[in-house]
Amino acid sequence: MHDANLSQTPVATSRPDAIDFFRAWDTYAKVVAANYMFHRELGQAVRDALRRRFEGRAFSLLDLGCGDASAMAPLLDGLRLKSYKGVDLAPPALALAKRNLAPLDCPVELVEADFMSALRDSNPQDAIYSSFAQHHLTSEGKAEFFALAAKRLNPGGLLILVDVTREESESHDDYMRNYPAWLRKTMTSLSTQEHDQICDHLTRNDFPETASTLRAQAERAGLSALEGLVPHKWHRLLLFAPA
């Protein structure tokens, strides 16, 4: 399991029913409240990046895997948005997002879709944001993600990724041992059942790359890496702009 905005919904590859959704969402809420995955630091860095890039200019934003938008909505307060489009697979999340985004003074569109299809079909955007979703893709899928994002970004635009990455010397198998062990040790407010739920999800669905691999894929797609943030070794903000 990873984020929901900072994020994709807890079930990233299938449409969750209402019971499964709210069970997973309750666990997610505990993770966010305790800041186990550094949501506060990453969220502030996202807001700072948007302010630096657009410097008071109005911009459009495509939020891929928007979840309920409860974390994103405060980050956008005071920024000049031309439009906001949020995409998620979970209808319950989109219903909550509609309420959480109501204060925005711009057109808001919420779409039930997987984030790759939404990116493929998107109009040009000034900013594209994806949080804890890209690591569900294969390596080939991630390369396609960057290629699509490069085509969908307007000149002067910004691609923002919040995600987990492997350490440079860490294999996928090592990550799958190290990260769940860290999770069980660190996320002390969660029950054993909740630990098991999260670890089972990431074991079946997570395919994180190293940061250098992601930067190389982005460069091949025509994007340049900008300075980001690493509040903890597996959790990071990656920023890219059209070359």
Side-chain angles (χ1 to χ4, degrees):
M1 171 191 133
H2 289 302
D3 212 352
N5 199 332
L6 292 165
S7 82
Q8 178 77 332
T9 59
V11 181
T13 57
S14 62
R15 181 178 301 177
D17 63 32
I19 293 175
D20 288 342
F21 171 83
F22 285 111
R23 185 183 297 120
W25 215 254
D26 181 62
T27 302
Y28 158 72
K30 293 179 183 179
V31 171
V32 175
N35 200 39
Y36 289 135
M37 294 175 66
F38 309 94
H39 289 75
R40 286 196 288 272
E41 294 87 346
L42 290 165
Q44 183 59 53
V46 168
R47 179 176 171 82
D48 291 345
L50 288 169
R51 294 183 68 177
R52 285 196 307 270
R53 190 65 176 178
F54 297 106
E55 298 180 341
R57 294 184 289 119
F59 63 95
S60 59
L61 174 64
L62 174 62
D63 188 349
L64 299 170
C66 65
D68 68 358
S70 60
M72 174 55 86
L75 302 182
L76 299 176
D77 183 43
L79 300 180
R80 293 183 58 197
L81 278 174
K82 290 189 290 189
S83 64
Y84 171 96
K85 182 176 181 178
V87 178
D88 203 278
L89 277 172
L94 294 173
L96 294 171
K98 182 178 180 180
R99 181 185 65 193
N100 290 328
L101 294 164
L104 291 184
D105 187 22
C106 71
V108 173
E109 180 183 4
L110 297 171
V111 178
E112 181 186 344
D114 72 87
F115 68 90
M116 286 294 285
S117 295
L119 182 57
R120 195 173 292 113
D121 297 337
S122 175
N123 293 325
Q125 301 286 336
D126 298 312
I128 298 173
Y129 173 70
S130 175
S131 180
F132 293 113
Q134 200 211 35
H135 68 273
H136 292 297
L137 301 173
T138 64
S139 183
E140 294 78 9
K142 296 182 187 78
E144 182 185 4
F145 174 91
F146 285 117
L148 289 170
K151 293 177 181 177
R152 299 297 179 264
L153 276 177
N154 286 325
L158 183 66
L159 171 62
I160 305 170
L161 294 182
V162 173
D163 215 334
V164 287
T165 60
R166 303 195 324 262
E167 294 188 87
E168 292 300 319
S169 61
E170 188 176 40
S171 70
H172 179 78
D173 288 343
D174 287 342
Y175 175 89
M176 285 300 171
R177 287 189 294 269
N178 296 337
Y179 192 80
W182 171 83
L183 180 156
R184 292 182 185 276
K185 180 180 179 180
T186 304
M187 299 187 181
T188 55
S189 66
L190 303 186
S191 68
T192 299
Q193 182 181 7
E194 289 168 327
H195 285 155
D196 291 344
Q197 175 192 20
I198 295 173
C199 291
D200 178 65
H201 173 84
L202 69 88
T203 300
R204 290 184 292 108
N205 295 286
D206 288 15
F207 307 96
E209 309 287 350
T210 63
S212 63
T213 296
L214 295 177
R215 293 191 185 102
Q217 288 180 327
E219 183 177 351
R220 286 193 292 271
L223 298 168
S224 298
L226 306 176
E227 183 179 355
L229 173 74
V230 188
H232 179 270
K233 60 182 179 179
W234 291 304
H235 310 82
R236 66 176 64 222
L237 170 70
L238 293 162
L239 301 173
F240 302 95

